[in-house]
Amino acid sequence: MSGLLAVIGKGKDPQLVKDLSERMSHRGPDERDMHIMENGSVLCHESLSIIDLNSGKQPIQGTDKAWMIHDGEIYNYQELKNTVLKNHHFRTDSDSEVIVHLYEEFGYDFCNKLDGDFAFVVIDGDKYIAGRDPIGVKPLYYGLDERGRIYFSSEMKCLADQCKSFSTFPPGHYYTAKTGFVKYYQPEYEDHKKADQSLELEAIRKSLIEGTRKRLLANVPVGVILSGGLDSSLTSSIACRLLKDKGEKLHSFSIGLDADAPDNKAARTAAEFLGTEHHEIHFTVEEGFEILEKVIYHIETYDIISVRSGVPMYLLSKAIADQGIKVILSGEGADEVFGGHLYFRNAPSAEEFQDETIERVQKLFTADLLRADKTTMAHGLEARFPFLDKEFLDTTIRIKTEEKQPKSYNGVEKYILRKAFDTPEDPYLPSEILWRQKEQFSDGVGYNWVDELIEYCASKITDEQLAGAATEFPYNSPTTKEAYLYRSIFHQYYPQVSAAQTVRKWIPKWQENLDPSGRANAAHLNGNFEKAKSGIAV
């Protein structure tokens, strides 16, 4: 896990590139290095050591003149070293080094051989390749400056004021000067017509266990985010079982406004059942307001739900890092795979339900993953997501839609995931946790957080300012005071039109109230959300 910055082309001052890279030094607090290529291109790396703690400093040189930088983890690196790369000499024990050797062995066509979360750049003389993992777990941006130099960076803050235009690097693609963007990840599940597989609960269970096992790979302490919801609780339960076999105890973490916050209460129940070393974090709404600007700077978005949930996630990440944990497992992705958001209950047809699950998985990198990566990495903490394992996605998304559509099962969201782990003879979770209704993170920390945040934003923005929003922000104009405040803060740090265009606002479908809170859906057990109704069409 780290931050990477590459400037490809002649004439860029290496010291300036180093200074730009240091803007994301939070991503790699353990080590920093730079390499200048013979042609003047520059590679910078901010390192968080997870696998090879001694010799894995980047940039890493290949066998000859190719050099590489990488952010993320390659879970099958040892298998690659033992098979297709068995004749290669490795300089380090790092998982990252396999990338440059795969390039040397196969040329540009090697990304599908990687099982992991990654963004990388390899430079080989005048040739180069940049790539991003299939789902976009790791962030990556690219841009072009006035001199025609191309930039690749883990965070937008390193290139926004250097490039005349820039954008988000699409997940599941690689890029070379010769080929342009190439979509290497083309799973069958992207076609809703391929949702033709029979339901096999054991296959769901086995693939999630294996996806979790991979993500425990580390030579540093690992913990779990435990909100008490189905997704994080399952991840925690599986991790507990796997670590118990090694004689290790799992550290779990939850956050809320107080001990009675919905997530904290549920997390205590789950932690007691699982026997984790549990840490419960409390924060006040005033503390949330105080760091609002800092959070938007770090997560690089003005999307409402990302900001609402980004604040408690930022505070939680700091508390986790303060405990000496460097890797954290999270339940992100399950809602998208299984149609777990409450608005899925209103899907007009099975086909539209399936299309929405596919699109939500494809767009995770614009919202939940962006927020999860950047709030954790703001504190040098690596987040991993078992539900986004490639094999797990292949196993689950193609299950017949009529098997998983919530209304087919009396409105219980993620029904088949719950059934897969409903094993009374060897329970993974208490029944009240396994069957707990979906609660969005920004709501689960305490309903007052979102309610008072909306009021706080309204107090900071005048009616006149909101009336002029379309003139001030002609692209993706904010339509509520909450949206206006977030956009204004974002604009302070990222005033470029290209920056605004990287943001995709998350809005639920098929419900009257378009506020992204789960409480805005009538199916929510505490669905009285009057304050948010004034903020529809966010």
Side-chain angles (χ1 to χ4, degrees):
M1 189 64 71
S2 59
L4 64 83
L5 173 63
V7 180
I8 299 174
K10 299 178 181 179
K12 194 72 174 181
D13 178 9
Q15 182 58 50
L16 175 56
V17 179
K18 184 178 180 181
D19 292 343
L20 295 173
S21 181
E22 287 182 6
R23 293 178 181 179
M24 57 178 175
S25 60
H26 47 271
R27 295 187 71 88
D30 293 332
E31 206 161 26
R32 172 179 301 122
D33 206 357
M34 176 177 70
H35 179 74
I36 305 169
M37 305 293 292
E38 288 184 6
N39 65 0
S41 297
V42 183
L43 293 170
C44 285
H45 194 261
E46 311 289 330
S47 178
L48 174 65
S49 300
I50 300 294
I51 301 294
D52 181 0
L53 305 185
N54 299 313
S55 65
K57 185 167 74 170
Q58 298 187 42
I60 297 175
Q61 185 179 8
T63 304
D64 191 8
K65 58 188 176 70
W67 287 74
M68 58 81 56
I69 46 178
H70 164 235
D71 173 26
E73 303 295 342
I74 307 301
Y75 302 121
N76 66 333
Y77 80 100
Q78 195 62 55
E79 177 188 345
L80 291 169
K81 291 173 71 171
N82 294 340
T83 55
V84 295
L85 299 177
K86 64 182 178 182
N87 295 323
H88 285 245
H89 172 71
F90 284 78
R91 301 174 186 268
T92 75
D93 293 324
S94 167
D95 60 302
S96 301
E97 191 180 344
V98 296
I99 293 172
V100 69
H101 291 281
L102 286 171
Y103 162 78
E104 292 173 332
E105 184 74 22
F106 298 102
Y108 297 143
D109 188 18
F110 65 84
C111 289
N112 271 322
K113 299 184 186 300
L114 297 170
D115 183 6
D117 311 320
F118 56 84
F120 70 82
V121 179
V122 177
I123 302 181
D124 180 13
D126 291 329
K127 297 184 294 184
Y128 64 87
I129 177 174
R132 191 176 183 189
D133 66 72
I135 308 301
V137 170
K138 301 313 301 167
L140 188 61
Y141 297 85
Y142 69 100
L144 197 68
D145 73 8
E146 297 289 348
R147 296 277 298 275
R149 291 174 292 234
I150 190 166
Y151 294 58
F152 297 99
S153 177
S154 295
E155 296 193 359
M156 188 164 61
K157 55 182 62 67
C158 302
L159 55 73
D161 59 354
Q162 303 293 308
C163 296
K164 64 179 182 180
S165 62
F166 55 91
S167 189
T168 305
F169 195 104
H173 287 69
Y174 67 79
Y175 179 90
T176 76
K178 180 180 179 179
T179 63
F181 282 104
V182 175
K183 181 175 170 58
Y184 71 85
Y185 182 61
Q186 302 187 57
E188 288 189 286
Y189 70 68
E190 290 187 327
D191 180 358
H192 69 253
K193 296 178 183 177
K194 298 293 181 65
D196 55 6
Q197 301 299 299
S198 298
L199 174 61
E200 295 184 21
L201 297 178
E202 186 177 355
I204 295 174
R205 188 162 57 248
K206 285 183 175 180
S207 60
L208 185 57
I209 292 171
E210 183 56 31
T212 306
R213 186 192 309 276
K214 294 177 190 177
R215 284 156 181 80
L216 291 174
L217 176 69
N219 293 325
V220 295
V222 179
V224 291
I225 294 173
L226 177 57
S227 70
L230 172 67
D231 313 332
S232 66
S233 297
L234 277 181
T235 300
S236 301
S237 178
I238 295 168
C240 274
R241 290 172 178 234
L242 295 172
L243 290 178
K244 186 178 181 180
D245 293 341
K246 301 178 182 181
E248 300 176 21
K249 192 167 186 176
L250 187 66
H251 285 259
S252 60
F253 299 84
S254 68
I255 188 169
L257 293 177
D258 52 39
D260 292 325
D263 278 2
N264 275 343
K265 291 171 67 176
R268 285 197 299 273
T269 299
E272 183 177 353
F273 178 86
L274 298 174
T276 66
E277 188 72 35
H278 190 59
H279 308 265
E280 183 173 304
I281 313 303
H282 298 162
F283 74 104
T284 67
V285 290
E286 290 76 18
E287 288 173 324
F289 299 160
E290 289 173 4
I291 65 165
L292 194 58
E293 185 171 325
K294 185 181 295 185
V295 168
I296 292 173
Y297 169 75
H298 273 289
I299 66 177
E300 303 181 327
T301 183
Y302 50 86
D303 169 55
I304 283 192
I305 196 65
S306 297
V307 176
R308 288 178 180 176
S309 55
V311 169
M313 189 67 187
Y314 181 90
L315 294 169
L316 179 61
S317 297
K318 182 181 186 305
I320 295 170
D322 287 347
Q323 289 288 330
I325 304 293
K326 281 195 169 185
V327 174
I328 198 80
L329 303 188
S330 171
E332 305 288 353
D335 289 314
E336 289 70 25
V337 172
F338 295 100
H341 294 292
L342 296 182
Y343 74 85
F344 274 90
R345 299 177 182 221
N346 305 326
S349 67
E351 181 178 300
E352 289 179 81
F353 178 97
Q354 184 68 10
D355 282 341
E356 180 69 358
T357 62
I358 295 168
E359 184 177 1
R360 291 266 53 86
V361 169
Q362 292 172 328
K363 295 298 189 293
L364 265 170
F365 75 98
T366 68
D368 290 14
L369 291 182
L370 178 150
R371 179 259 306 158
D373 174 89
K374 292 180 183 176
T375 53
T376 53
M377 287 304 290
H379 303 286
L381 178 67
E382 172 179 318
R384 296 178 179 177
F385 313 103
F387 284 102
L388 297 178
D389 182 80
K390 283 195 300 184
E391 293 181 13
F392 183 75
L393 296 178
D394 289 339
T395 299
T396 54
I397 297 182
R398 291 186 59 204
I399 294 171
K400 294 176 183 177
T401 308
E402 56 267 25
E403 299 271 19
K404 58 189 175 186
Q405 193 170 11
K407 64 184 180 182
S408 301
Y409 300 103
N410 298 319
V412 178
E413 75 280 356
K414 291 176 286 193
Y415 179 84
I416 61 174
L417 178 61
R418 299 177 195 273
K419 288 297 292 182
F421 287 89
D422 191 358
T423 53
E425 70 285 355
D426 183 21
Y428 280 80
L429 292 169
S431 180
E432 64 267 34
I433 300 298
L434 185 67
W435 294 95
R436 182 189 176 200
Q437 188 183 71
K438 164 67 184 174
E439 191 81 85
Q440 284 181 214
F441 184 64
S442 55
D443 291 329
V445 298
Y447 296 161
N448 283 355
W449 165 238
V450 170
D451 294 346
E452 294 190 33
L453 180 59
I454 292 171
E455 292 182 355
Y456 172 80
C457 294
S459 73
K460 295 294 182 180
I461 304 302
T462 66
D463 294 341
E464 290 74 21
Q465 285 177 301
L466 185 58
T471 301
E472 187 175 2
F473 305 111
Y475 176 81
N476 217 354
S477 306
T479 58
T480 69
K481 291 183 177 181
E482 182 185 14
Y484 184 100
L485 180 61
Y486 300 164
R487 182 63 177 276
S488 298
I489 296 172
F490 178 88
H491 189 77
Q492 291 176 29
Y493 296 107
Y494 312 107
Q496 303 84 3
V497 174
S498 290
Q501 290 172 337
T502 66
V503 177
R504 181 186 175 98
K505 295 191 290 187
W506 191 92
I507 299 174
K509 290 184 176 180
W510 309 313
Q511 64 183 42
E512 182 179 351
N513 188 346
L514 299 182
D515 188 280
S517 168
R519 289 186 291 140
N521 189 285
H524 192 279
L525 294 178
N526 296 285
N528 183 10
F529 197 50
E530 295 301 323
K531 291 179 181 177
K533 289 182 180 178
S534 62
I536 65 171
V538 294

